[in-house]
Amino acid sequence: MELIQRPRRLRTSPLMREIVAETDISARHLITPHFVVEGEGHVDEIASMPGVTHVSVDKLVEEIAADVELGLKSHLLFGIPNDDAKDHTGSAAVDDNGVVARALRALRERFGSEIILITDVCLCAYTSHGHCGFLEDGVVVNDSSVEQLAKMALTHAKAGADIVSPSDMMDGRVGAIRDLLDENGYVNTAILAYSAKFASAYYGPFRDACDSAPQGDRKTYQMDFRNGREALLEAILDMQEGADMVMVKPALAYLDIVRNVRAEALCPVVCYNVSGEFSMVKASAAAGYCDEQAIVMENLLAMRRAGADLIITYHGRDALKGGWIK
Ligand code: PBG
Ligand code: ZN
């Protein structure tokens, strides 16, 4: 047998495999989410998300200081206001003294330009009905919601966000946010658009964490998971409206979307390794059904291989502490 092509030649040793590896990952590719609550002294682990906390601003500064030590420099903030601050229009979301605005100021003061601060821009944690936009006669209306979302983004920009990240899936919000930021002089605040965000059961643990389960569902604004071409349309529209980066969410069951968006986009592509994906791995590892390190690395490298430049993930801390990622 005279084989000319023997692909196994390049798999003969760890070093041989290492030098021909097509994909890699390091700390700079990871974005770490934080759930910021009111009050002081809170670091409460979220039951469905081991190692992930509800954290008050004072403790958030310490949490992020430890993350920075590990090499995690990009941080995504979700605000969780008190129940009594929730109302029909999510007015706490546009408060200059809201929980995210205060967190941004404290973090900027402490870390200066040593970290990148990204904020989730969405109304669902702030509205009494739990929807990502305004609810009128049972319908989540688009254009008035977009105005409020733009104001929320401006609130974050003023408080020091480097990147604002709308996750609501209303039409036209990227353009509206860009306009309002520019009118107010925030021309260098970037926009990371959750462009292809699917209505997904993988958000379950996050909704518990944020107490943000909606009345009804989000299927009139988040995407139908049967659709791939439509995801490309969403990403293209967001780029035309001025998005600096586009996101696909969730990640694992959507790597075809990541690949297709990567092929179309000239800007960085981000994917969100969401709460349900994280919790499934943690639960299965805790039960002894899988090797956590091996599964996490396989998942994260698959996201990179599919075309994600950056990955929002809850695994970052474990991966760096364990030396799985340098
Ligand atoms: C809300 C929002 C969600 C997530 C981020 N922002 C979930 C939702 O639409 O209910 C999901 C995060 C995760 O599951 O890790 N706009
Ligand atoms: Zn939302």
Side-chain angles (χ1 to χ4, degrees):
M1 184 168 67
E2 250 187 78
L3 279 179
I4 295 184
Q5 289 289 349
R6 288 183 183 268
R8 289 186 56 193
R9 285 183 195 120
L10 301 186
R11 299 178 202 140
T12 48
S13 74
L15 184 56
M16 186 66 86
R17 294 192 292 276
E18 182 70 17
I19 67 168
V20 300
E22 296 175 28
T23 310
D24 57 11
I25 189 164
S26 53
R28 74 182 182 93
H29 299 120
L30 306 180
I31 299 171
T32 305
H34 303 268
F35 302 107
V36 193
V37 297
E38 296 285 358
E40 271 180 45
H42 297 293
V43 197
D44 309 321
E45 195 177 63
I46 297 164
S48 54
M49 300 173 70
V52 183
T53 60
H54 278 158
V55 62
S56 54
V57 173
D58 54 329
K59 295 291 181 184
L60 174 68
V61 176
E62 295 173 24
E63 186 169 279
I64 289 186
D67 288 344
V68 171
E69 272 310 291
L70 291 170
L72 295 167
K73 302 206 171 165
S74 302
H75 299 277
L76 171 62
L77 306 183
F78 290 92
I80 307 185
N82 288 337
D83 269 349
D84 58 15
K86 297 188 187 201
D87 61 20
H88 208 69
T89 59
S91 47
V94 298
D95 179 352
D96 287 320
N97 275 313
V99 68
V100 170
R102 279 183 281 116
L104 286 166
R105 286 192 293 267
L107 291 166
R108 195 52 82 201
E109 164 126 345
R110 166 73 189 266
F111 298 102
S113 54
E114 239 188 285
I115 60 175
I116 296 294
L117 288 168
I118 309 167
T119 58
D120 185 77
V121 173
C122 197
L123 300 176
C124 52
Y126 298 85
T127 51
S128 41
H129 44 76
H131 279 291
C132 304
F134 290 173
L135 191 65
E136 285 171 20
D137 302 321
V139 175
V140 177
V141 293
N142 196 85
D143 299 13
S144 49
S145 304
V146 164
E147 273 178 51
Q148 182 81 331
L149 289 158
K151 285 182 198 159
M152 181 177 187
L154 178 60
T155 306
H156 296 171
K158 285 199 287 193
D162 297 293
I163 303 174
V164 291
S165 193
S167 67
D168 52 284
M169 289 300 284
M170 299 300 128
D171 295 329
R173 88 276 206 217
V174 171
I177 290 172
R178 187 70 274 158
D179 283 349
L180 192 66
L181 291 178
D182 288 357
E183 275 164 31
N184 286 275
Y186 293 94
V187 293
N188 285 326
T189 306
I191 300 174
L192 163 56
Y194 286 70
S195 297
K197 178 175 179 180
F198 289 84
S200 169
Y202 284 100
Y203 308 145
F206 170 94
R207 289 189 185 168
D208 293 342
C210 283
D211 189 22
S212 65
Q215 289 169 12
D217 59 46
R218 302 201 203 284
K219 289 184 180 170
T220 69
Y221 42 105
Q222 295 182 349
M223 283 191 55
D224 187 322
F225 54 72
R226 292 172 291 191
N227 297 349
R229 287 193 304 269
E230 188 187 352
L232 219 45
L233 170 64
E234 286 282 7
I236 289 168
L237 290 173
D238 285 351
M239 290 185 281
Q240 286 171 349
E241 287 175 33
D244 300 284
M245 304 192 235
V246 291
M247 192 198 302
V248 174
K249 176 183 177 184
L252 283 173
Y254 297 84
L255 294 183
D256 57 325
I257 313 286
V258 173
R259 162 60 72 212
N260 290 342
V261 170
R262 172 69 287 161
E264 204 69 33
L266 294 174
C267 64
V269 173
V270 181
C271 71
Y272 199 140
N273 177 208
V274 299
S275 57
E277 298 171 330
F278 170 79
S279 298
M280 289 196 314
V281 170
K282 289 301 253 188
S284 137
Y289 298 157
C290 76
D291 173 339
E292 182 174 348
Q293 172 177 355
I295 290 282
V296 168
M297 292 309 289
E298 189 170 333
N299 285 349
L300 295 177
L301 265 308
M303 293 170 209
R304 293 273 300 142
R305 191 191 62 235
D309 297 292
L310 302 173
I311 301 171
I312 303 170
T313 184
Y314 306 99
H315 292 296
R317 238 168 252 144
D318 290 334
L320 285 152
K321 272 188 200 154
W324 313 342
I325 294 179
K326 306 274 180 306

